[in-house]
Structure formats: C-alpha cells, structure tokens
Amino acid sequence: MNIFRTLHRSILVLFAIVVVAIVTLIHFSMTKIVAEQSRAHQISLSPAVKLVVRQVIEPLHIAETLSKSKELKEIMQFSAANDASINEKQIFETLKRLEQEFEMGFFVALEKQRMQYNSDGSTIELIEGEVNWYFKYRDMPEKSVGDIGKWEDTHFFIDIKIFDENNQFVGFFGVAKSLSHFIEVFETHKATYGHDFIFVNPKGSVMLSSDPALNASKSNFNNLKDLSWYQKTINQMGIDSDTALAADASVQNINNELVNINGQDILIAQVNLDLFDWTMLLMSPLNEQQIHISNGFMISAISVLVVIFLLFLIIYNLLYYFRKDLQNEGLVLPYCKMQSDEKIKYLVNSKAYEKDAYLVLIQLNDFYQRPITTQNLDMLTGIGTRVSEFLLDSVYKFNTKSEFGKVNESQWLVLLQKADSEEGTRFMDNIRHGLATIQTECEQQQEVLKFSTCQVKLSEEDTFVSAILRLKPALDNLKTNDTLTQVVDF
C-alpha cells in the first residue's frame, strides 16, 4: 500500500505539473493571439489614419500655414485698404501657383469687395441670401470651418478666417477639393482595406462619406440618425431612442460597437475631429485574417482541452491498473497467507468497485465468548487459518468479481460485486455451507465453533466506515447467536 500511495502521489504530481504547463501554454498562446489580433488591427487601421490625415487634416494645415504667408496677407490687407486699385490679376496668379504647387484648389473671399476669387479663374459675387456659407460662417466664432458647397460640382471646402493687424475680419482664405476626388480616393482605399468613412457634424449631418449615396446632393444633407444600423445600435446600447434620434440631438458615442450592415459584422471606431467640430466614424469589417486568427485560437484551445482530457483518462486508468496490481500485493498476514482488508477499504472509499455490490462480514464468535489463553491460542489461530484458506480457495469460484481480506484473527470481509439480490443470496448460502463444513470438522475434534455472517448492500453515498456502521447493529445482535445468521440490506 505504501508503494501504491507513493506512486499515486507521484502520478498526481506529474499530472498537476503537466496541467500547469498546458495552462501556461494556453495563456502564452492567448497572449500571442491577442497581440497578433491587435497588430493585425493596427496594420489595417494605419492606412485609414494616413488617408484621413492626407485628405482632410493636411489641407487644413496647408491652408492655415498659407494664410499666414506675407504674400497672402498683402493681398487681403491691400484689398481692404484700397478697393479701387485691387489687383485681380495678382490674386489669380497667386492662387493658380498654389494650386499647381499643392495639387488642390484655393480661393479668397474678400469682405470689402464681397467677391470670391478661385484658382480656376472664376469669381463669385458674395450676395447675402444667394451665397449663404459666407455670411453664416463669418458670424460664427470658429476660426476654421469645413463645409460642402458648389452644388453644380460638389466640393469640400476648408475656410480660414483672415484678420488684419487690428484684428478686424477682412475675408476668407481656403482650400477647395472636389467631392468626386474624395469618392475616388475612398473607393481605392476600400478596395484594398475594406474601410468605410463617415464624417458628420455635431447634429449628425453627413459631411463626407466613402459611400456616395450618403453624401449631400443639391444642398440636401443625409443624417446619420436616419440610418437603420445606427438606430439599431442605439437601441442595443439601451439609449432612449426618442431622445437620441431627435433632429437636434448630438451624435452618440458608439466607439468600439460591433454592428451588422448587409449581413457583415463591422467594428466602429469613432474619432472627434475638433479642427472642424466633426466626428469621424471609421467602419472596419472583421477581415478574414482576424477570423482565421480567432478560428485558430478556438481550434488550439479545443485541442488543448482534448489533450488534458486524454491525459486525465490515461492517468486514471494507470492508477486503476496499478491499484489492482499493487493491492493484490498488499498487506499479507503471514499466518494465514491472506491479504488484509485494506484493498476493500480503498475500493469502497474511492468508489472503484462495480455497481450492485455487497459488503459481507464473516465473524468467528468464539473469540468473543471464550477467553484466549496460551492453551487455546494455537487452536483458534489454526481455525482462523482454515477459514482464510477456505475463502482463498472458494470465494472466486462463487463470484469472480469478489475481493476479500482479513480484518483480524476472528473477522473477514468480502466485497461482492456485480451481484443482484438472488446472486447475493446464493453467494451467502455457499459461504454458510463452507463455514458449516469447517464447524462440523471442529465438532468431530470436540470443538464447538460459532460463526456469524452479515451482509449489507452498498449505496453511492457509502464510505467504508458508514457501511461498517450499518453492519454494527447486526454484529452486536449476532455475538451471542448460536446459529449461522444472514442479514441482507441491513
């Protein structure tokens, strides 16, 4: 038993080490997978960020930088000081040169002359009621504004307010980019990376989008709050839709929300562009690489769990195998060549026995009724040896699933497995018959022997101790009984 316990502990320790190693491997794999997903997501977002910077942020910075140039300040301030002799030719030449240099359109809008000069050589008279943008943004506190206009050929405008040395407003200088140019750039990017862009103002009006159907047409702006997927997302977030979807409501924060558009899962990244007081929604489809990574993780996790389960089964069966082999080599009492009851204790406590099992106790009552002296010790020991030899020779013949062991000089235990009540009764009859034979032989030698037998059916809740306690009342009753007795399911 000591050898078995040592081996049992060693195998359990080895199993624990293996499990810890596998768990550590899983943790490492998860960390690596998460890092890989993050890296893949960052790689996919990097071109989107570069695109926004190049197409939206850089034009603003260029316009702001040029608005502070000496050449442009002279044009703006001279026009304000000397209306009669304004040099339109110089204005067009300057704007044209900037257009060729930076590959985008430029314009100036002069407050005193109420005229707008464009780098393509055209002019627009700024008449209140006809050219709304100028008077709308002139009276706003913002120093820079992003706007959509020129509806016959829709353009994205960046308007920078210009002030003289006395901080008096003298007009606008800005950048104009054709909306068709944005659509072309967005489509090229989407074909490569799959991203969509939506730029909205604080009230949700779509200012720019990679989806042409969402862009403004003939001064009619679409609104984010009218899109079904946005409405569904608001409801899923538990936000009051009546409030959040009202005409004057601000755009809700849906950053990192997963939405489904036309059967495709889309991850939303929401960024505030304070330069224009816009909000950008970057819509990233869960690309195949991320799906492959996730599927790979699931397969790896399931494989590891299967390995742990198989290891558990292997170790369990090894323990069962060694348990059976080593138990047979358990404690053997030298005077009767029979193992002790330790194996039965273990089988009962570990629930390793097969179902429909009975625990049988055989007791030599003489040991309780006569004092043991040096004169009768040899005789009683000899009787005990004969009982042991009978059990060794006969029990397996009665039932091949039996286990037996010696408790002490006067008690033996038998574990009867896979036996119904009829087989249990037949087994007890055979045991009683064999004991009666020994008793008859003893009587021929003028020795009167008294045996008792008890039997109890094991339940799933039983331990070895609880089963013995169920037998104990029967034992107490049998100590003074002169006949062989059988107690079933006591």
Side-chain angles (χ1 to χ4, degrees):
M1 284 300 296
N2 289 333
I3 296 175
F4 175 73
R5 290 190 180 113
T6 302
L7 180 61
H8 180 267
R9 285 195 295 268
S10 300
I11 293 177
L12 288 179
V13 169
L14 178 62
F15 180 69
I17 292 173
V18 172
V19 171
V20 169
I22 292 176
V23 170
T24 303
L25 180 62
I26 292 175
H27 176 72
F28 174 77
S29 299
M30 289 180 63
T31 303
K32 187 175 181 180
I33 288 169
V34 170
E36 179 62 22
Q37 286 181 321
S38 177
R39 186 185 70 84
H41 187 60
Q42 291 297 327
I43 290 175
S44 69
L45 288 182
S46 179
V49 173
K50 291 180 180 178
L51 179 68
V52 173
V53 169
R54 186 169 62 251
Q55 299 297 327
V56 180
I57 307 301
E58 282 186 1
L60 173 63
H61 289 322
I62 290 172
E64 286 183 330
T65 301
L66 293 176
S67 68
K68 298 173 184 177
S69 67
K70 180 179 179 181
E71 183 179 18
L72 189 65
K73 281 186 176 182
E74 288 179 351
I75 292 175
M76 301 296 288
Q77 292 177 4
F78 185 76
S79 67
N82 191 347
D83 180 42
S85 58
I86 181 173
N87 191 340
E88 293 185 348
K89 181 179 178 182
Q90 180 187 359
I91 295 176
F92 283 124
E93 288 178 350
T94 300
L95 295 176
K96 189 62 177 180
R97 179 173 52 82
L98 294 176
E99 180 182 37
Q100 293 172 348
E101 184 175 351
F102 294 99
E103 298 182 343
M104 63 181 73
F106 290 89
F107 70 91
V108 292
L110 305 178
E111 169 67 9
K112 188 172 183 179
Q113 287 76 23
R114 296 289 174 89
M115 289 292 295
Q116 177 179 333
Y117 299 90
N118 303 309
S119 58
D120 62 0
S122 63
T123 60
I124 300 175
E125 189 174 358
L126 303 174
I127 301 174
E128 193 168 2
E130 295 183 10
V131 182
N132 295 325
W133 74 269
Y134 181 87
F135 302 96
K136 174 183 176 182
Y137 296 134
R138 182 191 65 179
D139 300 330
M140 291 176 61
E142 287 79 8
K143 299 297 179 64
S144 59
V145 180
D147 190 24
I148 303 296
K150 195 179 179 183
W151 302 110
E152 67 278 5
D153 179 16
T154 309
H155 275 60
F156 166 56
F157 292 93
I158 297 176
D159 309 319
I160 307 295
K161 288 183 179 179
I162 307 297
F163 298 88
D164 63 14
E165 65 274 6
N166 298 318
N167 203 31
Q168 295 297 313
F169 175 74
V170 294
F172 285 98
F173 169 71
V175 175
K177 298 188 70 173
S178 172
L179 193 60
S180 60
H181 168 76
F182 281 101
I183 298 299
E184 181 181 346
V185 171
F186 285 146
E187 285 181 347
T188 301
H189 179 88
K190 183 175 181 178
T192 305
Y193 302 102
H195 297 129
D196 271 308
F197 301 85
I198 301 179
F199 299 86
V200 298
N201 68 11
K203 300 304 180 183
S205 295
V206 178
M207 309 305 293
L208 279 176
S209 175
S210 58
D211 183 357
L214 294 180
N215 285 313
S217 176
K218 297 181 180 179
S219 73
N220 293 319
F221 286 84
N222 293 297
N223 198 288
L224 182 67
K225 289 172 284 190
D226 295 328
L227 302 181
S228 60
W229 64 262
Y230 180 81
Q231 297 171 357
K232 184 178 180 180
T233 303
I234 294 300
N235 290 327
Q236 290 176 343
M237 294 173 64
I239 302 173
D240 180 51
S241 57
D242 291 337
T243 303
L245 300 177
D248 59 345
S250 299
V251 175
Q252 296 295 320
N253 185 0
I254 58 173
N255 189 40
N256 289 329
E257 291 294 326
L258 190 64
V259 303
N260 188 278
I261 302 176
N262 297 326
Q264 186 177 23
D265 290 330
I266 305 292
L267 182 64
I268 302 295
Q270 184 168 317
V271 181
N272 293 326
L273 299 179
D274 295 332
L275 296 171
F276 302 118
D277 198 19
W278 284 2
T279 297
M280 180 188 76
L281 301 181
L282 176 59
M283 310 172 75
S284 305
L286 296 184
N287 57 45
E288 292 184 1
Q289 182 181 9
Q290 291 172 309
I291 294 174
H292 289 326
I293 291 173
S294 299
N295 290 340
F297 167 72
M298 291 180 63
I299 293 172
S300 299
I302 292 173
S303 299
V304 169
L305 291 176
V306 170
V307 169
I308 292 177
F309 180 71
L310 291 176
L311 283 173
F312 172 78
L313 290 180
I314 292 171
I315 292 174
Y316 177 83
N317 284 280
L318 281 174
L319 289 174
Y320 184 79
Y321 172 78
F322 284 113
R323 177 179 64 216
K324 294 192 70 174
D325 282 1
L326 293 177
Q327 286 288 344
N328 289 332
E329 300 174 1
L331 294 179
V332 176
L333 303 181
Y335 54 81
C336 66
K337 302 300 180 183
M338 175 177 279
Q339 64 192 31
S340 75
D341 62 341
E342 288 294 323
K343 181 176 182 179
I344 295 176
K345 289 180 182 179
Y346 183 85
L347 293 176
V348 174
N349 286 330
S350 62
K351 304 294 186 295
Y353 57 85
E354 300 190 40
K355 65 179 182 177
D356 295 328
Y358 292 86
L359 189 61
V360 179
L361 177 67
I362 300 168
Q363 179 173 286
L364 179 61
N365 290 341
D366 292 74
F367 274 53
Y368 294 100
Q369 296 179 357
R370 72 172 73 174
I372 301 174
T373 64
T374 55
Q375 287 77 20
N376 64 14
L377 179 60
D378 290 341
M379 183 271 296
L380 294 176
T381 302
I383 294 173
T385 300
R386 292 185 64 184
V387 174
S388 296
E389 289 174 346
F390 161 70
L391 294 176
L392 284 167
D393 184 57
S394 305
V395 168
Y396 275 143
K397 294 180 181 179
F398 298 151
N399 182 284
T400 58
K401 295 293 184 180
S402 299
E403 300 285 353
F404 50 85
K406 189 174 180 66
V407 181
N408 51 46
E409 289 80 1
S410 62
Q411 290 180 323
W412 295 261
L413 279 176
V414 179
L415 178 63
L416 181 63
Q417 305 180 87
K418 293 189 70 175
D420 55 25
S421 59
E422 182 179 346
E423 186 177 354
T425 301
R426 188 167 58 251
F427 177 82
M428 292 301 294
D429 287 341
N430 290 328
I431 291 294
R432 291 171 67 245
H433 177 75
L435 294 176
T437 300
I438 295 175
Q439 189 177 32
T440 300
E441 293 173 356
C442 291
E443 289 175 352
Q444 292 174 354
Q445 300 175 13
Q446 297 181 346
E447 288 290 340
V448 179
L449 297 178
K450 297 175 183 178
F451 291 100
S452 298
T453 60
C454 300
Q455 176 180 300
V456 62
K457 187 172 184 179
L458 295 176
S459 67
E460 292 183 358
E461 293 77 19
D462 266 326
T463 62
F464 181 79
V465 173
S466 69
I468 294 297
L469 290 176
R470 290 168 61 199
L471 282 171
K472 190 175 184 303
L475 295 179
D476 294 338
N477 292 333
L478 293 174
K479 286 179 183 179
T480 57
N481 200 320
D482 292 339
T483 61
L484 294 172
T485 306
Q486 176 186 15
V487 180
V488 181
D489 295 340
F490 191 86

